[in-house]
């Protein structure tokens, strides 16, 4: 069990956010470290942004890695290339985004690491396109699911933890999130990481990313899709069918969990069997919550380096 402390991270920001056309998106991304280094792709979740990795990146670049950190669709400077494109938040679309970005940057293979939406995306790429994944670091482990599994009722305590998913299922919830996205996101940060003493500057640095014009549409669709009350796009049907079978992950993997994660998650013993290759789980102690790379950057970077 690794240990660290739950305190506010640095107030550093990334020097440059680049833009590249990749699939249906024009992606805003950080590209740090030696251009010829082995690549690490870091993927954030909701409601966070690239700054979840601001203290992880230098630890990896100092070790010789090229580190790419994209804003997911609906965040920061990432934009849809077509005004007519569906503002789709389904998991298969996000995974396809990751592959499209790798293709656009001529990256054949990378270590993938993330949390929340980012961990789910990394899991999908590792499961379905293992030839593109040199290793996986996944906070909260195996997060691949399907609309069918989303229909299954959970015990009341577990359902309570997903309150925002049901809020987003209503038009009242969509409007409420749109009007109050700053305060809403801060509440999620506080409940998901109850022992993380982040300051206003740390939160505001990431909250600026939620002003993206597609943010609310993508977020709301993501959670409605999970409950099977919103459809996806047909080009992702085959991928979703494969994911519904809960494919095993054979690439080398380290799963991580904070000892004070207030977001919905299961015990590592539940998902360990989904990893059939070299696999290790680490619980990070010291009051570490859901945003593990920002709360425990050294532990997160160590996992990336060692996987």
């Amino acid at each position: 069990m690794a240990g660290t402390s739950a305190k506010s991270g640095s107030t550093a920001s990334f020097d440059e956010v680049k833009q590249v056309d990749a699939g249906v998106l024009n992606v805003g991304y950080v590209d740090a470290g030696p251009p010829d280094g082995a690549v690490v792709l870091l993927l954030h979740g909701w409601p966070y942004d690239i700054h979840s990795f601001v203290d992880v990146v230098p630890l990896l670049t100092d070790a010789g890695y090229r580190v790419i950190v994209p804003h997911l669709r609906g965040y920061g400077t990432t934009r849809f290339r077509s005004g007519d494109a569906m503002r789709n938040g389904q998991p298969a679309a996000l995974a396809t985004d990751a592959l499209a970005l790798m293709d656009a940057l001529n990256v054949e293979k990378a270590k993938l690491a993330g949390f929340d939406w980012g961990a789910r995306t990394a899991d999908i790429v590792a499961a379905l396109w293992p030839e593109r994944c040199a290793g996986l670091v996944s906070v909260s482990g195996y997060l691949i699911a399907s609309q069918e599994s989303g229909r299954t009722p959970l015990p009341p305590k577990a359902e309570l933890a997903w309150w925002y998913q049901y809020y987003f299922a209503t038009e009242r919830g969509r409007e409420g999130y749109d009007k109050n996205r700053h305060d809403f996101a801060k509440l999620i940060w506080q409940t998901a990481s109850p022992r993380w003493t982040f300051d206003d500057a740390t939160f505001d640095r990431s909250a600026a990313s939620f002003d993206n014009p597609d943010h609310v549409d993508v977020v709301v669709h993501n959670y409605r899709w999970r409950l099977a009350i919103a459809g996806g796009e047909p080009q992702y049907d085959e991928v979703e069918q494969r994911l519904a079978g809960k494919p095993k992950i054979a690439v080398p993997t380290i799963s991580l969990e904070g000892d004070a994660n207030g977001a919905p998650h299961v015990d590592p013993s539940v998902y360990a069997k989904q990893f059939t290759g070299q696999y290790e789980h680490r619980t990070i102690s010291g009051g570490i919550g859901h945003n593990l790379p920002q709360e425990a950057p050294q532990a997160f970077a160590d996992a990336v380096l060692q996987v």
Side-chain angles (χ1 to χ4, degrees):
M1 178 181 292
T4 186
S5 58
K7 61 183 180 179
S8 180
S10 76
T11 56
S13 291
F14 291 113
D15 293 333
E16 181 183 11
V17 176
K18 300 179 179 180
Q19 299 291 140
V20 66
D21 287 341
V24 300
L25 302 174
N26 178 262
V27 178
Y29 69 103
V30 169
D31 192 342
D36 59 348
V39 178
V40 176
L41 180 64
L42 301 178
L43 300 167
H44 69 82
W46 172 85
Y48 306 94
D49 81 332
I50 59 174
H51 291 98
S52 290
F53 303 106
V54 72
D55 298 320
V56 172
V57 169
L59 299 174
L60 300 179
T61 57
D62 286 350
Y65 281 91
R66 177 187 178 190
V67 185
I68 298 169
V69 194
H71 281 293
L72 303 187
R73 54 171 62 195
Y75 297 79
T77 59
T78 292
R79 298 290 187 273
F80 285 87
R81 295 171 65 187
S82 170
D84 296 329
M86 179 181 176
R87 272 44 179 173
N88 184 350
Q90 72 183 108
L94 293 165
T96 302
D97 292 345
L99 292 172
L101 177 62
M102 291 173 66
D103 289 343
L105 299 179
N106 296 313
V107 173
E108 184 62 32
K109 198 168 189 175
K111 290 185 179 182
L112 273 65
F115 71 106
D116 196 85
W117 289 20
R120 181 174 290 105
T121 299
D123 286 351
I124 293 171
V125 174
L128 299 189
W129 297 279
E131 70 279 4
R132 308 298 300 272
C133 184
L136 172 67
V137 174
S138 181
V139 176
S140 297
Y142 189 90
L143 297 177
I144 295 174
S146 65
Q147 284 192 323
E148 189 59 37
S149 63
R151 291 186 175 96
T152 304
L154 302 173
K157 187 175 181 180
E159 297 283 21
L160 177 63
W162 285 110
W163 68 270
Y164 51 86
Q165 181 169 250
Y166 305 113
Y167 184 63
F168 290 154
T170 69
E171 284 306 300
R172 173 190 172 103
R174 188 197 184 287
E175 182 179 352
Y177 184 55
D178 193 12
K179 288 184 176 180
N180 303 295
R181 63 183 85 174
H182 182 280
D183 290 348
F184 197 108
K186 181 174 277 191
L187 175 63
I188 297 296
W189 279 38
Q190 291 165 341
T191 56
S193 300
R195 294 174 60 187
W196 182 30
T197 56
F198 62 88
D199 56 24
D200 288 343
T202 299
F203 174 75
D204 291 342
R205 181 182 57 187
S206 289
S209 293
F210 314 146
D211 292 333
N212 183 298
D214 304 310
H215 179 74
V216 173
D217 287 342
V218 170
V219 169
V220 169
H221 182 264
N222 177 280
Y223 289 103
R224 290 183 179 181
W225 185 91
R226 294 195 207 183
L227 292 176
I229 59 174
E233 293 179 276
Q235 64 262 40
Y236 304 117
D237 286 351
E238 181 182 357
V239 173
E240 295 295 358
Q241 288 170 7
R242 296 172 68 189
L243 296 176
K246 293 196 171 184
K248 307 289 188 181
I249 293 176
V251 304
T253 299
I254 295 175
S255 61
L256 301 173
E257 190 63 82
D259 66 339
N261 185 3
H265 64 284
V266 300
D267 188 87
S269 63
V270 174
Y271 53 71
K273 64 183 181 297
Q274 294 301 121
F275 299 101
T276 59
Q278 181 181 348
Y279 172 66
E280 177 187 352
H281 176 77
R282 300 176 182 178
T283 297
I284 312 303
S285 62
I288 304 304
H290 190 57
N291 186 2
L292 195 149
Q294 196 164 355
E295 298 175 61
Q298 186 67 60
F300 189 88
D302 286 346
V304 174
L305 294 172
Q306 295 163 15
V307 71

